[in-house]
Amino acid sequence: MAKPKVAFYWCASCGGCEESVVDLAEGVLKVVEAVDIVFWPVALDFKRSDVEAMPDGSIDVAFINGAIRLSEQEAMAKLLRQKSKLVIAYGACAYGGGIPGLSNLTDKEATLNFVYHESPSTTDGAARRPQTHIQVPEGELELPEFYETVKTLDQVIDVDYYLPGCPPTPKITLAAIEAILSGKLPEKGAVLAGDRALCYECDLNSTKPEKLLVTDLKRPHQVLIDREKCLLAQGILCLGPVTRGGCEALCVKGGMPCTGCFGPLERVRDYGGKALSAIASIVDITDEKVLAKVLQAVPDPAGTFYRYSVPASLLTKKRKAA
Ligand code: SF4
Ligand code: SF4
């Protein structure tokens, strides 16, 4: 029997999601044995023309990571959609816009201005910017267009399933591949992880008080963390109560709070809004001094609560630079 044909592709991504496939360790051998990888430009020498030459629907599943920032990424996502039976949005950037999506809090002009004119490492006095078309002696070169905003994968193509995480853990990646190989997939549109908050699978959950009241918030570098006690109960902003579980609380095990990369639970429309209201509900707001101190401890609320989901959120997609 022919092996299922699988494609991997990255869009606006840090490379961590690609790395996570390699992190399957001996699991990757099982995957390579069970499937036929027909496109994986980060690891194997495939070209876009190879995909264009494939019949429509001939790839069984395409795992696409990264958000959509450039016209080339949108074109590749559309091409892979056309050639694939299933498309999986792999990782927080493809799912909710992720870290690249934070740039939607400013605009394209301000982003390009900083990168090509103002950043401390910019030394080119002419401060050139990338052009979509440029004439060279050999002919005309074309570069992808830099879009006004960052989009999630499902804002440009139809997505069948989502694998959350920054990056997805080897365990949920293998479970998803096994579900695909066995044909035991849930309803289209599902997030391939559990639907319980992270706290339920955290080893420190038993130390989290039933009624939690925070009077002080601290950042991890400001305190000596007690590794035996719930981080939120220690006043460290941990987003475990509002974040989908499935990662087995790896960050908490490593002494760091959950920052929400697995995204919202099923019924939540806007992760950042939910996270903000959950944290606000445990802060002692009866005392103004306490409130001011707590607010001071969150110097970047958008980056804290919407770290992985600005493009997918209900927030305005961009704002003019101040
Ligand atoms: S989800 Fe995380 S690991 Fe994956 S590309 Fe985005 S930033 Fe990198
Ligand atoms: S708040 Fe954080 S540390 Fe506390 S139980 Fe939940 S995930 Fe664990």
Side-chain angles (χ1 to χ4, degrees):
M1 202 174 84
K3 292 179 183 178
K5 291 185 168 45
V6 173
F8 297 98
Y9 192 67
W10 60 355
C11 295
S13 129
C14 73
C17 279
E18 298 281 346
E19 183 64 34
S20 75
V21 177
V22 181
D23 279 352
L24 294 175
E26 69 275 4
V28 83
L29 298 176
K30 272 200 254 164
V31 174
V32 170
E33 210 174 68
V35 304
D36 185 8
I37 299 175
V38 294
F39 188 57
W40 192 13
V42 80
L44 302 161
D45 186 20
F46 291 110
K47 303 284 187 262
R48 177 174 170 160
S49 53
D50 296 323
V51 184
E52 284 167 341
M54 294 174 193
D56 288 357
S58 60
I59 300 173
D60 290 283
V61 53
F63 290 84
I64 303 180
N65 73 76
I68 306 296
R69 166 95 268 183
L70 303 173
S71 54
E72 181 197 34
Q73 292 155 355
E74 179 168 2
M76 281 306 298
K78 286 183 171 162
L79 179 62
L80 284 165
R81 176 68 276 183
Q82 184 188 331
K83 304 292 176 184
S84 308
K85 292 188 186 79
L86 290 178
V87 168
I88 313 263
Y90 187 85
C93 292
Y95 177 21
I99 302 294
L102 283 169
S103 69
N104 285 8
L105 294 169
T106 180
D107 61 17
K108 171 182 168 178
E109 182 55 28
T111 304
L112 291 178
N113 215 24
F114 180 78
V115 173
Y116 290 97
H117 302 260
E118 295 168 352
S119 90
S121 58
T122 303
T123 55
D124 183 351
R128 294 183 193 93
R129 283 192 184 183
Q131 305 296 315
T132 49
H133 291 89
I134 186 162
Q135 205 64 40
V136 293
E138 293 78 13
E140 190 177 63
L141 293 180
E142 189 184 345
L143 278 179
E145 185 193 341
F146 188 87
Y147 283 158
E148 192 62 45
T149 58
V150 170
K151 299 186 185 85
T152 63
L153 187 61
D154 66 5
Q155 285 168 352
V156 298
I157 59 165
D158 187 36
V159 165
D160 295 289
Y161 296 102
Y162 301 83
L163 260 181
C166 182
T169 60
K171 194 169 175 180
I172 69 160
T173 302
L174 273 180
I177 292 171
E178 271 159 22
I180 292 162
L181 292 177
S182 64
K184 289 183 188 146
L185 278 162
E187 210 177 308
K188 182 178 164 160
V191 177
L192 302 178
D195 189 27
R196 296 188 90 193
L198 178 67
C199 289
Y200 287 105
E201 62 194 59
C202 176
D203 292 343
L204 305 181
N205 197 21
S206 59
T207 65
K208 190 167 109 197
E210 189 83 2
K211 275 201 178 297
L212 191 56
L213 195 64
V214 169
T215 54
D216 192 10
L217 272 187
K218 291 159 243 127
R219 303 174 77 189
H221 65 277
Q222 295 172 323
V223 280
L224 203 54
I225 293 175
D226 179 350
R227 302 283 287 269
E228 304 297 320
K229 191 173 166 195
C230 166
L231 301 184
L232 203 48
Q234 297 178 59
I236 295 158
L237 209 161
C238 182
L239 295 175
V242 289
T243 302
R244 186 186 290 269
C247 66
E248 299 171 277
L250 290 175
C251 292
V252 178
K253 281 187 184 123
M256 289 300 286
C258 169
T259 56
C261 75
F262 264 53
L265 291 157
E266 218 53 65
R267 292 166 304 284
V268 176
R269 170 71 185 87
D270 187 283
Y271 176 84
K274 177 72 185 171
L276 183 58
S277 73
I279 295 301
S281 72
I282 60 164
V283 173
D284 180 4
I285 48 165
T286 53
D287 185 327
E288 276 188 27
K289 279 197 194 130
V290 168
L291 187 58
K293 206 160 108 195
V294 167
L295 288 176
Q296 246 180 14
V298 190
D300 176 16
T304 302
F305 299 110
Y306 285 96
R307 182 169 304 183
Y308 304 97
S309 64
V310 174
S313 78
L314 300 174
L315 290 180
T316 312
K317 297 285 184 282
K318 64 167 182 165
R319 67 165 173 81
K320 290 282 170 216

